Amino acid sequence: MTKLTLTAPAKLNLFLHINNRRADGYHELESLFTMLDFGDELSFELIEEDDIQIVGDVAGINHEDNLIYKAAKALLPHRTVKKGVNVHLTKHLPMGGGVGGGSSDAATTLLALNTLWECGLTLQALAKIGLQLGADVPVFIHGKTALAQGVGEVLTPFDYPEKWYLVVAPGVHVSTVKVFTDPDLPRSTAKLKTPWQMADTRNDCEELVKKLYPEVEKTLTWLLKYAPSRMTGTGSCCFAVFDDEQTALRVLQQMPSSWQGFVAKSASESITHKQLATWLNKEK
Ligand SMILES: C[C@@](CO)(OP(=O)(O)O)[C@H](O)COP(=O)(O)OP(=O)(O)OC[C@H]1O[C@@H](n2ccc(N)nc2=O)[C@H](O)[C@@H]1O
Ligand SMILES: Nc1ncnc2c1ncn2[C@@H]1O[C@H](COP(=O)(O)OP(=O)(O)O)[C@@H](O)[C@H]1O
């Protein structure tokens, strides 16, 4: 049977500004998203049973709550190959960490099954379906470093230098909903005016999350000893940026053992798109 293995990359919000809160409760934001060359691994295999099976690292997530299942189910009406799918998931990304693990799994599933089920949908159509699964899904579908506006779905490709990042997960789960519904969250950052510098930016969620989760404050304070550092998304993961891999690895070796961490390089085009292109060329 046809098998396709893809990475579901981590994402970082190199900055995250919250401009206002919409009537529907979602927030208008501006953020510079970049994908990393590290993430979860998903293997897709078509099966005769007309079923969506997920095996591997699924601990703690109910089958029908898994964003992989939701993504596959959303594509069922579009498939021209009437077969089921078995998905093997190997998690490497911390859940609810602000690195988009669930959203990335969903996007990778949409990209893989659009191909295996021969749905023939464009990236725009996949991103529209993805937005229903989460505000972060469209950026993974397009798979490019991008300036995000709207709730995260209005994406403008942005040329940003590839760097090395040390990403640290302090082992606390931050609820995105809790952060976005907190009255103390700053919600009135003005839209960026070009030209702008990274020094003009920040993560508007950082102060609130540091106050609510002292372990995040400790992580940021530790990272800032070595390199410019920020929290990604609504946290809890934080990242430090380096110009070379060796320095980033040396800092990782000094990381307190109670935290999890990895070093990865940013990729202006997501690893998923490159893997899919290679697989399609081999299939020809
Ligand atoms: C905050 C960001 C920044 O990249 O990332 P994470 O920190 O989750 O990684 C994203 O916008 C999160 O996207 P995603 O993780 O898909 O969140 P969703 O499931 O869409 O929304 C979860 C909840 O967050 C709030 N939410 C999310 C996005 C947004 N622009 N405004 C919001 O108010 C809403 O309360 C929503 O119900
Ligand atoms: N395959 C999955 N991997 C990770 N999280 C998942 C998955 N399916 C559903 N979820 C849920 O989505 C939430 C995290 O969504 P995600 O987009 O990864 O946000 P974050 O960017 O905060 O990590 C988790 O709290 C988890 O409950």
Side-chain angles (χ1 to χ4, degrees), residues 88-116:
H88 185 279
L89 168 63
T90 307
K91 290 297 293 182
H92 295 298
L93 299 179
M95 287 196 203
V99 291
S103 305
S104 192
D105 288 356
T108 297
T109 301
L110 291 173
L111 289 166
L113 294 181
N114 186 45
T115 299
L116 293 179

Side-chain angles (χ1 to χ4, degrees), residues 7 13 23-24 32 36 76 88 108 127 134 141 156 167 181 186 197 212 221 227-228 248:
T7 300
N13 302 84
D24 67 358
L32 182 56
L36 299 182
L76 287 176
H88 185 279
T108 297
I141 296 289
T156 310
V167 180
T181 48
Q197 311 290 331
L212 295 175
T221 305

Side-chain angles (χ1 to χ4, degrees), residues 11 13 16 25-27 29 33 98-100 103 133-137 151-152 176-177 180-181 232-235:
K11 61 89 180 164
N13 302 84
L16 175 57
Y26 265 72
H27 290 76
L29 48 83
F33 277 90
V99 291
S103 305
L133 302 172
D136 263 359
V137 178
V151 296
T176 301
V177 177
F180 274 115
T181 48
T232 175
T234 52

Side-chain angles (χ1 to χ4, degrees), residues 81-156:
V81 174
K82 300 292 184 197
K83 289 190 186 301
V85 65
N86 175 283
V87 188
H88 185 279
L89 168 63
T90 307
K91 290 297 293 182
H92 295 298
L93 299 179
M95 287 196 203
V99 291
S103 305
S104 192
D105 288 356
T108 297
T109 301
L110 291 173
L111 289 166
L113 294 181
N114 186 45
T115 299
L116 293 179
W117 278 343
E118 298 176 24
C119 303
L121 296 175
T122 62
L123 289 185
Q124 285 69 22
L126 289 175
K128 197 158 178 246
I129 292 169
L131 182 59
Q132 304 314 309
L133 302 172
D136 263 359
V137 178
V139 72
F140 291 108
I141 296 289
H142 290 292
K144 293 192 183 314
T145 296
L147 191 62
Q149 295 172 302
V151 296
E153 85 287 5
V154 179
L155 298 167
T156 310

Side-chain angles (χ1 to χ4, degrees), residues 33-52:
F33 277 90
T34 192
M35 255 62 66
L36 299 182
D37 62 0
F38 174 80
D40 293 344
E41 185 178 274
L42 288 79
S43 286
F44 301 84
E45 195 159 13
L46 296 187
I47 53 177
E48 289 308 323
E49 307 93 304
D50 192 7
D51 195 12
I52 299 168

